[in-house]
Amino acid sequence: MVKKKKVIEEFPYVHPYPDREVGIEIEMEGRGLVKGPAGWETTTDGSLRGESLEWVLTRPVCEADSYILLDRLQAHLAKYEAKLTPSDRCGVHIHVNVQEMDVDDVFKFCILYLILENLLVEWCGEDREGNLFCLRAEDAEYLIQCLLRARQKGTFKQAANEDIRYASMNITSLAK
């Protein structure tokens, strides 16, 4: 039986929480924004305007815990009557830990995402379509070219480059 290559073998970064699946970042503009509750750290983001904050999980978590922490953040913002104002500069980043997945399975994950991408972006709101910080493959086809070359070579090493950082599926993060 041929051993399948794992992503961690391509990018030998030792993740401090290898058993954790999800990282979340939420960038938002608005009024009365407050630092996050336990489990969230709050930072500023230079791409945002006016009163704005970015809430980032303090560490990656298991999928089940992500729902609890999102509910906690939502309740915290409601408690302090924060008013969120979505804009094309705001965004939510979901990081999925794939380091223990086989390279082939990550390719399959990417293809599944691309099949669903338009539906997912549409679900996020009409103003997300064509957003320069969250480009769909149909808006910027270079991601597909990178994935095709990577698949042909059987490696993500060249595909995870800064040129596709603003794709809605940012495989650049694989190398980080």
Side-chain angles (χ1 to χ4, degrees), residues 5 13 26 31 45 51 56 66 76 78 89 93 99 104 106 118 123 165 168 174-175:
K5 182 170 48 171
Y13 168 73
I26 302 172
R31 289 178 299 139
D45 185 303
E51 186 176 340
V56 180
S66 69
H76 182 75
R89 294 174 297 275
H93 306 264
Q99 69 179 3
D104 286 344
V106 175
N118 284 343
W123 178 73
R165 179 175 175 216
S168 69
L174 288 172

PDB file of all heavy atoms in Angstrom, residues 5 13 26 31 45 51 56 66 76 78 89 93 99 104 106 118 123 165 168 174-175:
ATOM      1  N   LYS A   5       0.757  11.215   1.182  1.00  0.00           N
ATOM      2  CA  LYS A   5       1.484  12.337   1.749  1.00  0.00           C
ATOM      3  C   LYS A   5       0.510  13.283   2.455  1.00  0.00           C
ATOM      4  O   LYS A   5      -0.527  13.640   1.927  1.00  0.00           O
ATOM      5  CB  LYS A   5       2.233  13.077   0.643  1.00  0.00           C
ATOM      6  CG  LYS A   5       3.064  14.228   1.135  1.00  0.00           C
ATOM      7  CD  LYS A   5       3.986  14.815   0.079  1.00  0.00           C
ATOM      8  CE  LYS A   5       3.288  15.082  -1.211  1.00  0.00           C
ATOM      9  NZ  LYS A   5       4.080  15.840  -2.177  1.00  0.00           N
ATOM     10  N   TYR A  13       5.423  22.918   9.513  1.00  0.00           N
ATOM     11  CA  TYR A  13       5.180  23.828  10.625  1.00  0.00           C
ATOM     12  C   TYR A  13       4.545  23.026  11.747  1.00  0.00           C
ATOM     13  O   TYR A  13       3.568  22.316  11.528  1.00  0.00           O
ATOM     14  CB  TYR A  13       4.247  24.948  10.164  1.00  0.00           C
ATOM     15  CG  TYR A  13       3.687  25.782  11.281  1.00  0.00           C
ATOM     16  CD1 TYR A  13       4.489  26.695  11.949  1.00  0.00           C
ATOM     17  CD2 TYR A  13       2.363  25.658  11.664  1.00  0.00           C
ATOM     18  CE1 TYR A  13       3.976  27.468  12.973  1.00  0.00           C
ATOM     19  CE2 TYR A  13       1.848  26.424  12.676  1.00  0.00           C
ATOM     20  CZ  TYR A  13       2.651  27.331  13.330  1.00  0.00           C
ATOM     21  OH  TYR A  13       2.154  28.092  14.340  1.00  0.00           O
ATOM     22  N   ILE A  26     -12.968  37.829  12.909  1.00  0.00           N
ATOM     23  CA  ILE A  26     -14.134  38.606  12.479  1.00  0.00           C
ATOM     24  C   ILE A  26     -13.756  40.078  12.483  1.00  0.00           C
ATOM     25  O   ILE A  26     -13.442  40.628  13.536  1.00  0.00           O
ATOM     26  CB  ILE A  26     -15.347  38.361  13.406  1.00  0.00           C
ATOM     27  CG1 ILE A  26     -15.693  36.871  13.431  1.00  0.00           C
ATOM     28  CG2 ILE A  26     -16.535  39.218  12.962  1.00  0.00           C
ATOM     29  CD1 ILE A  26     -16.745  36.497  14.450  1.00  0.00           C
ATOM     30  N   ARG A  31     -20.415  50.959  15.822  1.00  0.00           N
ATOM     31  CA  ARG A  31     -20.391  51.905  16.940  1.00  0.00           C
ATOM     32  C   ARG A  31     -20.505  51.120  18.240  1.00  0.00           C
ATOM     33  O   ARG A  31     -21.180  50.098  18.307  1.00  0.00           O
ATOM     34  CB  ARG A  31     -21.571  52.876  16.855  1.00  0.00           C
ATOM     35  CG  ARG A  31     -21.446  53.885  15.731  1.00  0.00           C
ATOM     36  CD  ARG A  31     -22.654  54.779  15.685  1.00  0.00           C
ATOM     37  NE  ARG A  31     -23.778  53.892  15.435  1.00  0.00           N
ATOM     38  CZ  ARG A  31     -24.986  53.952  15.994  1.00  0.00           C
ATOM     39  NH1 ARG A  31     -25.296  54.820  16.784  1.00  0.00           N
ATOM     40  NH2 ARG A  31     -25.928  53.104  15.732  1.00  0.00           N
ATOM     41  N   ASP A  45      -7.433  46.527  12.684  1.00  0.00           N
ATOM     42  CA  ASP A  45      -7.076  46.095  11.340  1.00  0.00           C
ATOM     43  C   ASP A  45      -7.010  47.333  10.459  1.00  0.00           C
ATOM     44  O   ASP A  45      -7.990  48.062  10.356  1.00  0.00           O
ATOM     45  CB  ASP A  45      -8.120  45.106  10.821  1.00  0.00           C
ATOM     46  CG  ASP A  45      -7.750  44.517   9.476  1.00  0.00           C
ATOM     47  OD1 ASP A  45      -7.549  45.299   8.526  1.00  0.00           O
ATOM     48  OD2 ASP A  45      -7.673  43.292   9.361  1.00  0.00           O
ATOM     49  N   GLU A  51     -14.747  53.584  13.605  1.00  0.00           N
ATOM     50  CA  GLU A  51     -14.698  52.706  14.778  1.00  0.00           C
ATOM     51  C   GLU A  51     -14.775  51.273  14.269  1.00  0.00           C
ATOM     52  O   GLU A  51     -15.722  50.890  13.597  1.00  0.00           O
ATOM     53  CB  GLU A  51     -15.867  52.998  15.721  1.00  0.00           C
ATOM     54  CG  GLU A  51     -15.770  52.226  17.005  1.00  0.00           C
ATOM     55  CD  GLU A  51     -16.882  52.570  17.990  1.00  0.00           C
ATOM     56  OE1 GLU A  51     -17.507  53.635  17.882  1.00  0.00           O
ATOM     57  OE2 GLU A  51     -17.105  51.727  18.877  1.00  0.00           O
ATOM     58  N   VAL A  56     -10.512  37.868  17.239  1.00  0.00           N
ATOM     59  CA  VAL A  56      -9.779  36.680  16.812  1.00  0.00           C
ATOM     60  C   VAL A  56      -9.802  35.682  17.963  1.00  0.00           C
ATOM     61  O   VAL A  56      -9.535  36.051  19.118  1.00  0.00           O
ATOM     62  CB  VAL A  56      -8.308  37.045  16.465  1.00  0.00           C
ATOM     63  CG1 VAL A  56      -7.541  35.815  16.020  1.00  0.00           C
ATOM     64  CG2 VAL A  56      -8.257  38.135  15.413  1.00  0.00           C
ATOM     65  N   SER A  66     -16.318  26.123  18.691  1.00  0.00           N
ATOM     66  CA  SER A  66     -16.427  27.340  17.884  1.00  0.00           C
ATOM     67  C   SER A  66     -17.845  27.911  17.959  1.00  0.00           C
ATOM     68  O   SER A  66     -18.026  29.129  18.025  1.00  0.00           O
ATOM     69  CB  SER A  66     -16.018  27.085  16.430  1.00  0.00           C
ATOM     70  OG  SER A  66     -16.941  26.256  15.767  1.00  0.00           O
ATOM     71  N   HIS A  76     -22.139  38.937  24.029  1.00  0.00           N
ATOM     72  CA  HIS A  76     -21.300  39.999  24.594  1.00  0.00           C
ATOM     73  C   HIS A  76     -21.550  41.323  23.863  1.00  0.00           C
ATOM     74  O   HIS A  76     -21.732  42.374  24.492  1.00  0.00           O
ATOM     75  CB  HIS A  76     -19.835  39.581  24.490  1.00  0.00           C
ATOM     76  CG  HIS A  76     -18.856  40.538  25.062  1.00  0.00           C
ATOM     77  ND1 HIS A  76     -18.662  40.688  26.413  1.00  0.00           N
ATOM     78  CD2 HIS A  76     -17.998  41.396  24.455  1.00  0.00           C
ATOM     79  CE1 HIS A  76     -17.734  41.603  26.627  1.00  0.00           C
ATOM     80  NE2 HIS A  76     -17.314  42.050  25.456  1.00  0.00           N
ATOM     81  N   ALA A  78     -24.213  42.120  22.125  1.00  0.00           N
ATOM     82  CA  ALA A  78     -25.595  42.540  22.412  1.00  0.00           C
ATOM     83  C   ALA A  78     -25.687  43.167  23.798  1.00  0.00           C
ATOM     84  O   ALA A  78     -26.365  44.189  23.981  1.00  0.00           O
ATOM     85  CB  ALA A  78     -26.536  41.342  22.295  1.00  0.00           C
ATOM     86  N   ARG A  89     -15.234  46.199   3.435  1.00  0.00           N
ATOM     87  CA  ARG A  89     -13.926  46.043   4.079  1.00  0.00           C
ATOM     88  C   ARG A  89     -13.968  44.998   5.200  1.00  0.00           C
ATOM     89  O   ARG A  89     -12.946  44.519   5.646  1.00  0.00           O
ATOM     90  CB  ARG A  89     -13.454  47.390   4.642  1.00  0.00           C
ATOM     91  CG  ARG A  89     -13.155  48.426   3.580  1.00  0.00           C
ATOM     92  CD  ARG A  89     -12.850  49.760   4.200  1.00  0.00           C
ATOM     93  NE  ARG A  89     -13.964  50.311   4.949  1.00  0.00           N
ATOM     94  CZ  ARG A  89     -14.965  51.027   4.427  1.00  0.00           C
ATOM     95  NH1 ARG A  89     -14.988  51.254   3.128  1.00  0.00           N
ATOM     96  NH2 ARG A  89     -15.929  51.493   5.188  1.00  0.00           N
ATOM     97  N   HIS A  93     -12.996  35.321   8.559  1.00  0.00           N
ATOM     98  CA  HIS A  93     -12.034  34.350   8.059  1.00  0.00           C
ATOM     99  C   HIS A  93     -12.153  33.092   8.909  1.00  0.00           C
ATOM    100  O   HIS A  93     -12.042  33.168  10.130  1.00  0.00           O
ATOM    101  CB  HIS A  93     -10.602  34.886   8.158  1.00  0.00           C
ATOM    102  CG  HIS A  93     -10.418  36.203   7.494  1.00  0.00           C
ATOM    103  ND1 HIS A  93      -9.942  36.318   6.216  1.00  0.00           N
ATOM    104  CD2 HIS A  93     -10.663  37.458   7.921  1.00  0.00           C
ATOM    105  CE1 HIS A  93      -9.894  37.593   5.886  1.00  0.00           C
ATOM    106  NE2 HIS A  93     -10.325  38.314   6.909  1.00  0.00           N
ATOM    107  N   GLN A  99      -3.555  20.125   8.405  1.00  0.00           N
ATOM    108  CA  GLN A  99      -2.187  19.612   8.393  1.00  0.00           C
ATOM    109  C   GLN A  99      -2.106  18.087   8.462  1.00  0.00           C
ATOM    110  O   GLN A  99      -1.171  17.506   7.929  1.00  0.00           O
ATOM    111  CB  GLN A  99      -1.363  20.245   9.506  1.00  0.00           C
ATOM    112  CG  GLN A  99      -1.741  19.834  10.898  1.00  0.00           C
ATOM    113  CD  GLN A  99      -0.852  20.495  11.939  1.00  0.00           C
ATOM    114  OE1 GLN A  99       0.003  21.293  11.618  1.00  0.00           O
ATOM    115  NE2 GLN A  99      -1.058  20.151  13.178  1.00  0.00           N
ATOM    116  N   ASP A 104      -4.155  14.677  -1.243  1.00  0.00           N
ATOM    117  CA  ASP A 104      -5.270  14.378  -2.155  1.00  0.00           C
ATOM    118  C   ASP A 104      -6.607  14.799  -1.557  1.00  0.00           C
ATOM    119  O   ASP A 104      -7.471  15.306  -2.268  1.00  0.00           O
ATOM    120  CB  ASP A 104      -5.319  12.884  -2.490  1.00  0.00           C
ATOM    121  CG  ASP A 104      -4.226  12.465  -3.459  1.00  0.00           C
ATOM    122  OD1 ASP A 104      -3.623  13.345  -4.107  1.00  0.00           O
ATOM    123  OD2 ASP A 104      -3.981  11.248  -3.564  1.00  0.00           O
ATOM    124  N   VAL A 106      -7.139  17.198   0.577  1.00  0.00           N
ATOM    125  CA  VAL A 106      -7.228  18.661   0.572  1.00  0.00           C
ATOM    126  C   VAL A 106      -7.601  19.145  -0.826  1.00  0.00           C
ATOM    127  O   VAL A 106      -8.405  20.074  -0.967  1.00  0.00           O
ATOM    128  CB  VAL A 106      -5.933  19.316   1.084  1.00  0.00           C
ATOM    129  CG1 VAL A 106      -6.000  20.837   0.967  1.00  0.00           C
ATOM    130  CG2 VAL A 106      -5.687  18.915   2.536  1.00  0.00           C
ATOM    131  N   ASN A 118     -19.990  29.896  -5.247  1.00  0.00           N
ATOM    132  CA  ASN A 118     -20.954  30.947  -5.595  1.00  0.00           C
ATOM    133  C   ASN A 118     -22.132  30.955  -4.640  1.00  0.00           C
ATOM    134  O   ASN A 118     -22.602  32.026  -4.217  1.00  0.00           O
ATOM    135  CB  ASN A 118     -21.429  30.794  -7.036  1.00  0.00           C
ATOM    136  CG  ASN A 118     -20.388  31.254  -8.028  1.00  0.00           C
ATOM    137  OD1 ASN A 118     -19.446  31.962  -7.681  1.00  0.00           O
ATOM    138  ND2 ASN A 118     -20.538  30.848  -9.282  1.00  0.00           N
ATOM    139  N   TRP A 123     -24.769  33.639  -0.227  1.00  0.00           N
ATOM    140  CA  TRP A 123     -25.371  33.547   1.110  1.00  0.00           C
ATOM    141  C   TRP A 123     -24.833  34.642   2.027  1.00  0.00           C
ATOM    142  O   TRP A 123     -25.536  35.142   2.895  1.00  0.00           O
ATOM    143  CB  TRP A 123     -25.100  32.160   1.688  1.00  0.00           C
ATOM    144  CG  TRP A 123     -25.620  31.936   3.066  1.00  0.00           C
ATOM    145  CD1 TRP A 123     -26.924  31.772   3.439  1.00  0.00           C
ATOM    146  CD2 TRP A 123     -24.845  31.849   4.264  1.00  0.00           C
ATOM    147  NE1 TRP A 123     -27.003  31.583   4.789  1.00  0.00           N
ATOM    148  CE2 TRP A 123     -25.738  31.628   5.330  1.00  0.00           C
ATOM    149  CE3 TRP A 123     -23.486  31.934   4.546  1.00  0.00           C
ATOM    150  CZ2 TRP A 123     -25.315  31.496   6.641  1.00  0.00           C
ATOM    151  CZ3 TRP A 123     -23.069  31.790   5.843  1.00  0.00           C
ATOM    152  CH2 TRP A 123     -23.983  31.575   6.870  1.00  0.00           C
ATOM    153  N   ARG A 165      -3.784  35.433  -2.238  1.00  0.00           N
ATOM    154  CA  ARG A 165      -4.132  35.720  -0.846  1.00  0.00           C
ATOM    155  C   ARG A 165      -5.575  36.201  -0.682  1.00  0.00           C
ATOM    156  O   ARG A 165      -6.200  35.952   0.335  1.00  0.00           O
ATOM    157  CB  ARG A 165      -3.157  36.756  -0.308  1.00  0.00           C
ATOM    158  CG  ARG A 165      -3.425  37.143   1.105  1.00  0.00           C
ATOM    159  CD  ARG A 165      -2.365  38.080   1.619  1.00  0.00           C
ATOM    160  NE  ARG A 165      -2.759  38.506   2.948  1.00  0.00           N
ATOM    161  CZ  ARG A 165      -2.558  39.699   3.431  1.00  0.00           C
ATOM    162  NH1 ARG A 165      -1.940  40.597   2.700  1.00  0.00           N
ATOM    163  NH2 ARG A 165      -2.947  40.007   4.619  1.00  0.00           N
ATOM    164  N   SER A 168     -11.397  33.823  -2.169  1.00  0.00           N
ATOM    165  CA  SER A 168     -12.310  33.462  -1.077  1.00  0.00           C
ATOM    166  C   SER A 168     -11.844  32.201  -0.360  1.00  0.00           C
ATOM    167  O   SER A 168     -12.116  32.010   0.823  1.00  0.00           O
ATOM    168  CB  SER A 168     -13.745  33.323  -1.569  1.00  0.00           C
ATOM    169  OG  SER A 168     -13.895  32.201  -2.386  1.00  0.00           O
ATOM    170  N   LEU A 174      -1.963  27.684   3.876  1.00  0.00           N
ATOM    171  CA  LEU A 174      -1.411  26.336   4.086  1.00  0.00           C
ATOM    172  C   LEU A 174       0.056  26.401   4.496  1.00  0.00           C
ATOM    173  O   LEU A 174       0.519  25.622   5.323  1.00  0.00           O
ATOM    174  CB  LEU A 174      -1.533  25.492   2.827  1.00  0.00           C
ATOM    175  CG  LEU A 174      -2.918  25.000   2.435  1.00  0.00           C
ATOM    176  CD1 LEU A 174      -2.881  24.347   1.072  1.00  0.00           C
ATOM    177  CD2 LEU A 174      -3.464  24.053   3.488  1.00  0.00           C
ATOM    178  N   ALA A 175       0.772  27.334   3.907  1.00  0.00           N
ATOM    179  CA  ALA A 175       2.213  27.436   4.179  1.00  0.00           C
ATOM    180  C   ALA A 175       2.508  28.171   5.472  1.00  0.00           C
ATOM    181  O   ALA A 175       3.638  28.235   5.909  1.00  0.00           O
ATOM    182  CB  ALA A 175       2.903  28.150   3.014  1.00  0.00           C
TER     183      ALA A 175
END
